[in-house]
Each structure stands twice: as C-alpha cells, then as structure tokens.
Amino acid sequence: MDGSLDAMLAQVAARGGYEGSQQAARAVHHVLEVLGGHLVGDDRTDLARLLPEQCGPMLNAAEAVSEALTPGAFVEAVALHGGDRRDEARRAVTAVLPTLAELTDDALLRRILTQLPPGHAGLFGRVDPV
C-alpha cells in the first residue's frame, strides 16, 4: 500500500466487500474514532502519523475512554457510533484494523495491542500479538 488515502480506502473496500470508497471511508471514520479513544500518548500519535493525512484527525480527536473494551464490546461500540447493525460494524472492524496493521511496524502494533484487552490481535488480522 502506498500510504495514500485512495490506496487505504481501496484496501478497506476490498477487505470489507464494499462497493465503493464512500462506504470504505465511512467504515474507516467510525473505526478510527472508536480506536482513538482507546489509545493514548505516543502510540496514538505515531499511528496517526502513519495514516493518510485525512485520517489522523479522526484518531486524535477521539476522547479517551475510561474503560477498556473487549473485542466484542469494541465491535458493539463501532455499531453504536455509526448507527449500524452489529454485523456491519464487525465488517468495518475486520476491514479497517488489518489495513491499519499493514501500515504499522511490528513494534508499534505491539504497543497498540498492549493498550487493548486480550483478544484484539484477531481484530487486527493477527493470531497472536506480534
């Protein structure tokens, strides 16, 4: 992936089976805003720096949450945030998070996963934490 917004949206669209970049952009928006609330400090900043310029603010604008979410609750939070059904939210999460994992190096992904409860590695398309 070349790091451009178009390339990222094309990857999300392919993973999620979305028909166009508008649906992919909506998925990216909702997932990044929920994820951003669970990341703090340099990890959030470093991830935002790797994303296309338009995506960083979505991640950084999220208010920090007080309670970590299990993977299932994370999907539920994306559903509530986007006003979607749970299956649509799962589709968005499983399209966006593995795409983000491809944009990061193993060290950053490991740092991100340590901020999340166990089980999130699977949402990022990983079997075990890297």
Side-chain angles (χ1 to χ4, degrees), residues 10-26:
Q11 186 70 14
V12 169
R15 275 197 168 97
Y18 295 117
E19 291 184 19
S21 62
Q22 187 174 5
Q23 287 179 318
R26 184 175 187 279

Side-chain angles (χ1 to χ4, degrees), residues 14-95:
R15 275 197 168 97
Y18 295 117
E19 291 184 19
S21 62
Q22 187 174 5
Q23 287 179 318
R26 184 175 187 279
V28 167
H29 181 82
H30 295 304
V31 173
L32 286 181
E33 287 190 347
V34 172
L35 179 63
H38 295 278
L39 302 179
V40 296
D42 290 342
D43 298 338
R44 181 161 75 170
T45 304
D46 290 349
L47 178 58
R49 226 178 286 136
L50 293 173
L51 297 176
E53 182 180 338
Q54 303 88 328
C55 296
M58 293 175 217
L59 191 68
N60 286 323
E63 285 191 37
V65 296
S66 59
E67 187 176 320
L69 298 175
T70 64
F74 184 90
V75 171
E76 199 59 45
V78 171
L80 289 172
H81 185 72
D84 293 327
R85 295 185 326 257
R86 184 169 166 69
D87 61 327
E88 280 299 312
R90 176 162 280 292
R91 178 182 178 196
V93 168
T94 58

Side-chain angles (χ1 to χ4, degrees), residues 91-105:
R91 178 182 178 196
V93 168
T94 58
V96 174
L97 293 183
T99 301
L100 295 183
E102 287 182 2
L103 293 171
T104 66
D105 59 37

Side-chain angles (χ1 to χ4, degrees), residues 95-126:
V96 174
L97 293 183
T99 301
L100 295 183
E102 287 182 2
L103 293 171
T104 66
D105 59 37
D106 286 346
L108 177 57
L109 185 56
R110 193 172 22 257
R111 290 184 358 234
I112 289 168
L113 289 172
T114 61
Q115 290 195 43
L116 301 169
H120 278 80
L123 295 180
F124 283 85
R126 301 291 199 254

